[in-house]
Amino acid sequence: GINAEYMGHDVRVLFSQTAEPQRADSSPTDPRWAAATYNMVLGANQNRHSYITKGIMGTKHAVHIALDPAVNVVACGFTDRARAVWERYWFHCKLSHTGARLTCGRGAMHDQVCMEFVDPKPIRGLRYIGLSCFNEPSIYCDIGIS
């Protein structure tokens, strides 16, 4: 059976050169996205897996963390089993002349790093940020871009 405590949704943030993956006729497994999009996911697969990858779906994960309670979505669950209603997560992508550094964490910006990926062959020209989750409505607030 499925443990309802961990049935909550994931948090996904994409940094991309294009908004085309958002089109209804676009496939998330299209190999073109591996050259255009970074995908950072906390709490996938019933809150058991978190990862950073180039592409959206069907790509080899650059970072993959499984079954680590420190690297998942804390604010999930149902009824009295649910944890905090609000939890703060941050996602960061910094490009430089030597590559890209992608990090995400919990709490204030750059605190409690959960995952990090340094890409020596970065995707350049990132202009779009995609926010999504699986199976549940989510509220995004305090969004900052610098």
Side-chain angles (χ1 to χ4, degrees):
I2 296 173
N3 183 348
E5 182 177 357
Y6 294 103
M7 193 65 179
H9 57 279
D10 55 29
V11 175
R12 297 171 183 258
V13 175
L14 291 87
F15 296 95
S16 185
Q17 294 175 334
T18 177
E20 191 177 347
Q22 299 299 314
R23 293 172 37 140
D25 61 346
S26 177
S27 170
T29 59
D30 189 322
R32 292 181 297 158
W33 308 144
T37 305
Y38 288 112
N39 186 10
M40 303 173 77
V41 181
L42 285 175
N45 193 14
Q46 299 172 1
N47 212 16
R48 294 183 295 188
H49 298 269
S50 297
Y51 57 86
I52 300 173
T53 189
K54 282 180 157 178
I56 299 173
M57 291 180 69
T59 58
K60 182 175 177 3
H61 299 161
V63 174
H64 187 110
I65 299 172
L67 304 174
D68 185 341
V71 185
N72 64 13
V73 179
V74 174
C76 73
F78 299 98
T79 64
D80 60 345
R81 292 178 171 238
R83 292 190 182 165
V85 174
W86 295 102
E87 182 64 50
R88 184 176 190 167
Y89 300 97
W90 55 266
F91 298 82
H92 189 252
C93 178
K94 180 163 179 83
L95 293 172
S96 70
H97 66 281
T98 59
R101 182 174 179 250
L102 289 93
T103 52
C104 68
R106 186 176 294 126
M109 189 71 163
H110 302 295
D111 284 351
Q112 298 181 51
V113 174
C114 292
M115 293 188 294
E116 179 176 16
F117 169 51
V118 176
D119 185 2
K121 297 180 181 179
I123 299 169
R124 300 281 181 192
L126 300 173
R127 298 180 11 201
Y128 298 91
I129 298 174
L131 308 171
S132 68
C133 64
F134 176 77
N135 203 33
E136 295 288 334
S138 292
I139 297 171
Y140 295 90
C141 55
D142 291 335
I143 298 170
I145 300 171
S146 61

